[in-house]
Amino acid sequence: MTHDLWPPLSVIRSALETGSAVPDGAPGIAAVAMPGAPPDPAPAAPASDLLLPLTELARRREAVAQRAFPARWAPGRLVSVVHQGRMLGVLLDRCIQGERWQGWMAAGEADWAGAFDVLLEPDDEPFEPAFGVIQAWNVLGLEPGPQLCARVVGEISATRLAAIRAVHDEWAAHAALPIAPEPGRIALRGVGGVFSVLSGTPLGPEDPRTDYQELYRDVGLQLGKALTQPQGDEASSSPAPAPARPQPGPEGGWWGSIRRWFGAEGWARPAFAVLALVVVVQNVGLLGGRGAGPEEDEVRFRAVPAAPVPARADLVVRWKAGVRMDEADRLLQSISADVVGGPGSNGNVWRLRVPEPVDALAVLAASPLVESAGPARPAGEQRP
C-alpha cells in the first residue's frame, strides 16, 4: 500500500541534512528544519487557497511573540535551538545535572506521527507551529549556551507534560498498543489510564515512518553529541555530563507513576499536587477508570467517515479583500454561524449554516467586511 505522507521524506531529509552554519553577527538566522514546500517548483496555488492558512500561521506566530515567554528554562517549556544552521525544537522535561536538561525533540510533520508522538492541541497555544509534534521516543540532553541561540517559543501545562511523560514511559517499556498500523492517521487515545493524547498509530512492517524516525533520531544524537563535547582545555578537566536516558520505572505502581508524571520529585508544590489529583480523578472518570472491563479499549480512536456527507449551508458570503480572521470570526459569532465550506476557488467565499437565515443575511449585507452575501444553492447546482 502506498502512503502519501506530507511533506515527502526526501524533503524532510534535505532540510535536516543540509544547511550551512549560522553567519557571524546574525545568530537569529537559520533554516527551520520543518519543510513547508518541496524543492522542485510546483504549480502555484490560487491566492484564495493560501490566504487562510498563511493568515492562521501569522496569527499563531504573532501570538507567540505577544506572549513574550521568559528566557529561563523550566519543565514544559518549548525551546528553539540552532544547530549547524538549522533551527530545531526541543520540549524540556527536567534538569538532570547542574544546568544540563533532558527533553524530547519537537517537529512539525504531523502526517508522520507514530503512537509515541504527541501532537499539541489548541489548548496548548501559543506555541511555535513548526514544533507542534513532540517525539516522546526521541530523548536528548542539552544545556543553555550562546551557541544554541535558544529561545522559548511555547509552554505547555503541567497536565500535558505529565501526559507526554506517560507516553514516553510507554515507549521505554516497549508497550504493545492494540492499534493497527496506519501511516497518516491521527486520533485521540488514552494513556496511563488517566490522560487523553492526540497521536498517530504504531509502526508496521515496511512502514515509511521507520526511516523518518531514524532520520530524526540521528539529528537528536548529533545535537546531543555536539553539546557534550568539551572545548579546548576543558576536554581533559571537565567531567562527562550525564547522558539523556529513559527514566526507570517508578516504584509504587500506578500511583507512583502518577506522582512522577506530575513531577513529585520536587518540581510540584503541595497545592499543585492537590490540583493534579483532581485532574487525575476527573480524567479517570471520563476515560472509564482502570479495570473497566476487558471489553473497554485502552485506545479510543475517533473514526473518520470514509465518504462524509456535505453539510447543509444556508448562506454564501464573499469577504472583501484584506479582511482579517478575527474580524470575520466576530461577525460570524454575532449571527451564530457555522462555517461548512470555503474558501471557494474563485475567491474568498464561505458557505455558512445559521439558525435564522433571514436575520443573518441582513446582518451580513450591512457589514462593511462583506462584499456580497446571499442564499446558498444546493451542492452541485450551477448558477444560471
Side-chain angles (χ1 to χ4, degrees), residues 344-368:
S345 59
N346 60 341
N348 200 8
V349 179
W350 291 5
R351 295 172 62 85
L352 310 176
R353 183 173 61 239
V354 293
E356 299 292 341
V358 175
D359 295 341
L361 182 58
V363 172
L364 292 173
S367 172

Side-chain angles (χ1 to χ4, degrees), residues 39-58:
D40 298 328
S48 59
D49 292 346
L50 296 176
L51 175 62
L52 289 181
L54 292 177
T55 302
E56 177 65 9
L57 179 63

